[in-house]
Amino acid sequence: MANPAILTVDDDPAVSRSVARDVRRRYGDRYRVVRADSGPAALEALREIKLRGEQVAVMLADYRMPQMNGIQFLEAAMDLFPRARRVLLTAYADTDAAIDAINVVDLDHYLLKPWNPPEEKLYPVVDALLDAWLAAPDEAISETRVVGHRWSAPSYEVRDFLARNLVPYRWLSADDAEGGRLLSAAGLTLDDVPLVVTPDGTSLVRPGEADLAAHVGLTTSPAEDFYDLIVVGAGPGGLGAAVYGASEGLRTLLLEQRATGGQAGQSSRIENYLGFPDGVSGAQLTDRARRQALKFGAEVLTTREVVGLESAGAARMLAFGDGGVIAAHTVVLATGVSYRLLDAPGLAGLTGCGVYYGSAATEAPGCAGQDVYVVGGANSAGQAAIYFSRYARRVHMLIRGGDLRRSMSQYLIDQIAANDGIEVHPYTEVAGGAGEGRLERLTLRDTRTGETRDAEASWLFVFIGAEPRTDWLAKAVARDDRGFLLTGGDLLAGGRRPPGWPLPRDPYHLETSMPGVFAAGDVRAGSVKRVASAVGEGAMAVALVHRYLEAP
């Protein structure tokens, strides 16, 4: 972070150089002196400083300047840096104007030109102003900043993307003073959000995920054209495959369309994963696994959508959504599953505006003192309910069945039963929702009687089962009737190998109907939907990759 700035602005080149020289001589070791030759140029400099998240301690502006005089400049500058101390440089004839400016722009001091010697007439004034500023300075900000609206779906998508990719950021409401200052510095209005400002001062207006990833330090392009192993999907299965593949010397590339961790990465707390007796959040587990894969030399790419797979002799070719192609000896498909959309009238247009799929942990603080509704009865729903109960007035779990025992681990059932802030509503489903620009109410239906009732609601989090992310594979590999990938023995219908299988051996345990292409984790038919099993399958897939590569 750069030193705080002292800005001087004067249209007379000789005076401008003199002011900057005297200020730099005494304060240059602690402050950065910024010199401008007009009010508009000085405002542009202030906007750049604001976008970079840096500080301005003192502004010294000449009164008599064309286009914009010193008072007008300081008045405009207050909107960007209200805590910076303000000094007007005046001639003796302009002292009345300087005195009037004390009320107009809350002027801290005015200096008569010339001020020689500066040791007597300049430095004592600036010393006092710097001491006053240091007692209550503007905050220096080094992380990415996001300016948006609370009930804006694009704003939510940006925040969720950054949070899931473990990119530190600061959220600023466009309606708050600091959010408004950033919009002004970027030359934008309230209608332009979300605005993302990176630490180097780059402004991104409503950025797409690929553009956002490229500007916040995430890697989006591969370093090579060919790899030993490409892993598609960076959930627990994919991360496990990447760690073991890279650690065993394979040139490994891990591709993720949105964020590492998958659904597990959104979990607020995982308590049944081996080696973490006190539990671990999905984000923490994901971060450790990602850093582990990178340590062993794996490449991790974000926002790369894979849209096709085909065999080309000994190579396996993957096509990207942007038209690019990449190849490898072997592929592990670990694309996981997606939450199903809640098919209820009125909800489709409210996604990101009160209706969320997955835990959306970034929204938890906003739920403070309000009721939260969670749909679903599996572990992910239970973990979310416990997490949101720390913030919400009450968490309502809506389940279609009579209790949680069918689909939830016992340790979570026990925690929910002991939590006074969580209420389970059996035989209940969401029949509809409504609201102007955001969720305001839900219609709930009793699954036994069909009776409905309305409930005021601003927060709905949906966990209603999952669908495999395999449509992009088309007919490249065999899938079951629900889209899950068939592997190993499941491909041997009637004891016969799958149609078109070119090898004299049967498919390996996790191998798909395309030799050299393996599946791991939730995307595989018959898999156990647990983090530990997905990681284990990722590791086992790498062992089978070695067997495939070493075969004659």
Side-chain angles (χ1 to χ4, degrees):
M1 180 64 66
N3 288 334
I6 296 176
L7 181 138
T8 70
V9 52
D10 197 304
D11 68 310
D12 185 324
V15 175
S16 179
R17 286 193 298 269
S18 176
V19 175
R21 180 198 63 224
D22 288 345
V23 172
R24 189 176 291 111
R25 181 183 300 160
R26 184 174 179 95
Y27 306 105
D29 60 332
R30 293 162 289 155
Y31 295 88
R32 183 164 56 95
V33 179
V34 178
R35 182 161 65 97
D37 58 8
S38 69
L43 283 177
E44 183 60 29
L46 289 180
R47 293 187 186 100
E48 291 182 9
I49 294 171
K50 187 70 180 180
L51 292 173
R52 291 197 298 267
E54 297 169 2
Q55 302 163 296
V56 175
V58 174
M59 296 180 286
L60 300 98
D62 184 56
Y63 172 62
R64 287 183 178 270
M65 293 188 294
Q67 296 180 288
M68 176 184 288
N69 67 35
I71 295 175
Q72 293 169 330
F73 162 73
L74 291 174
E75 188 174 13
M78 285 177 62
D79 294 335
L80 295 171
F81 290 96
R83 295 190 179 187
R85 300 297 165 168
R86 294 168 289 279
V87 179
L88 193 66
L89 308 179
T90 70
Y92 181 79
D94 297 322
T95 53
D96 289 342
I99 293 171
D100 291 340
I102 293 175
N103 295 321
V104 174
V105 296
D106 194 20
L107 193 68
D108 292 292
H109 208 281
Y110 68 89
L111 286 171
L112 295 176
K113 300 186 295 185
W115 50 78
N116 288 328
E119 288 77 11
E120 294 181 12
K121 298 184 178 180
L122 174 66
Y123 295 153
V125 172
V126 177
D127 283 345
L129 294 176
L130 288 174
D131 287 342
W133 179 80
L134 286 170
D138 288 302
E139 183 181 4
I141 301 174
S142 60
E143 66 255 91
T144 296
R145 288 156 289 169
V146 179
V147 183
H149 293 303
R150 178 179 178 183
W151 300 115
S152 160
S155 298
Y156 160 71
E157 290 167 2
V158 165
R159 296 171 62 195
D160 187 58
F161 177 82
L162 294 174
R164 292 186 61 190
N165 281 288
L166 306 175
V167 177
Y169 74 93
R170 178 170 301 193
W171 165 256
L172 299 167
S173 173
D175 297 323
D176 293 340
E178 184 61 18
R181 293 184 194 111
L182 274 179
L183 288 175
S184 177
L188 303 175
T189 69
L190 293 174
D191 296 330
D192 296 318
V193 298
L195 165 68
V196 178
V197 183
T198 63
D200 65 359
T202 300
S203 299
L204 306 173
V205 182
R206 297 191 175 187
E209 290 183 351
D211 190 29
L212 182 57
H215 280 87
V216 297
L218 299 175
T219 304
T220 59
S221 299
E224 302 181 32
D225 296 324
F226 196 92
Y227 293 83
D228 295 319
L229 169 64
I230 294 179
V231 182
V232 185
L239 287 165
V243 167
Y244 281 92
S247 69
E248 294 173 12
L250 299 176
R251 291 173 299 164
T252 302
L253 177 67
L254 177 61
L255 303 174
E256 173 54 48
Q257 183 175 350
R258 192 151 197 274
T260 51
Q263 287 189 9
Q266 294 180 276
S267 176
S268 56
R269 196 153 198 83
I270 302 169
E271 296 188 70
N272 60 351
Y273 189 71
L274 185 68
F276 293 88
D278 298 321
V280 61
S281 74
Q284 290 172 321
L285 190 63
T286 295
D287 182 44
R288 293 180 181 184
R290 186 176 184 275
R291 287 189 286 113
Q292 198 171 13
L294 292 172
K295 182 189 79 169
F296 287 125
E299 288 183 46
V300 180
L301 304 188
T302 309
T303 66
R304 294 314 300 259
E305 180 186 12
V306 182
V307 297
L309 168 67
E310 64 180 33
S311 176
R316 301 295 174 260
M317 308 295 295
L318 291 167
F320 290 129
D322 61 5
V325 177
I326 196 163
H329 288 302
T330 59
V331 173
V332 172
L333 301 174
T335 51
V337 293
S338 301
Y339 288 114
R340 293 196 189 100
L341 299 182
L342 188 59
D343 186 17
L347 294 184
L350 298 176
T351 301
C353 302
V355 179
Y356 306 94
Y357 291 87
S359 64
T362 55
E363 303 303 304
C367 302
Q370 302 179 55
D371 283 13
V372 167
Y373 287 80
V374 174
V375 181
N379 279 9
S380 54
Q383 291 161 350
I386 293 169
Y387 178 69
F388 284 113
S389 69
R390 303 174 192 171
Y391 300 88
R393 176 175 57 196
R394 194 159 194 80
V395 176
H396 302 269
M397 291 194 70
L398 312 179
I399 59 174
R400 293 173 59 88
D403 57 47
L404 297 169
R405 288 176 295 179
R406 179 180 176 184
S407 54
M408 188 177 292
S409 296
Q410 188 61 45
Y411 80 93
L412 283 172
I413 295 174
D414 294 341
Q415 290 182 21
I416 289 170
N419 191 323
D420 293 336
I422 302 175
E423 181 178 355
V424 178
H425 300 265
Y427 305 111
T428 305
E429 64 181 4
V430 176
E436 292 296 326
R438 65 181 182 90
L439 180 66
E440 295 176 338
R441 57 189 175 277
L442 290 172
T443 300
L444 308 179
R445 179 191 295 124
D446 189 310
T447 59
R448 298 165 299 179
T449 66
E451 295 180 357
T452 62
R453 61 183 176 88
D454 290 335
E456 292 185 4
S458 297
W459 306 94
L460 178 69
F461 299 90
V462 182
F463 306 82
I464 55 170
E467 298 174 339
R469 301 173 180 173
T470 58
D471 289 346
W472 63 276
L473 287 165
K475 297 181 179 180
V477 295
R479 298 179 287 165
D480 68 10
D481 56 1
R482 294 190 298 161
F484 290 92
L485 301 181
L486 296 170
T487 59
D490 291 338
L491 290 167
L492 303 176
R496 295 189 301 272
R497 292 167 185 159
W501 181 259
L503 302 179
R505 62 167 176 82
D506 291 344
Y508 295 138
H509 174 53
L510 299 178
E511 196 168 20
T512 69
S513 60
M514 181 183 293
V517 177
F518 301 83
D522 291 358
V523 74
R524 191 179 67 83
S527 66
V528 178
K529 303 300 187 283
R530 290 291 183 268
V531 173
S533 63
V535 173
E537 288 190 3
M540 186 187 301
V542 172
L544 297 173
V545 163
H546 281 293
R547 187 186 300 180
Y548 172 83
L549 293 174
E550 294 165 1

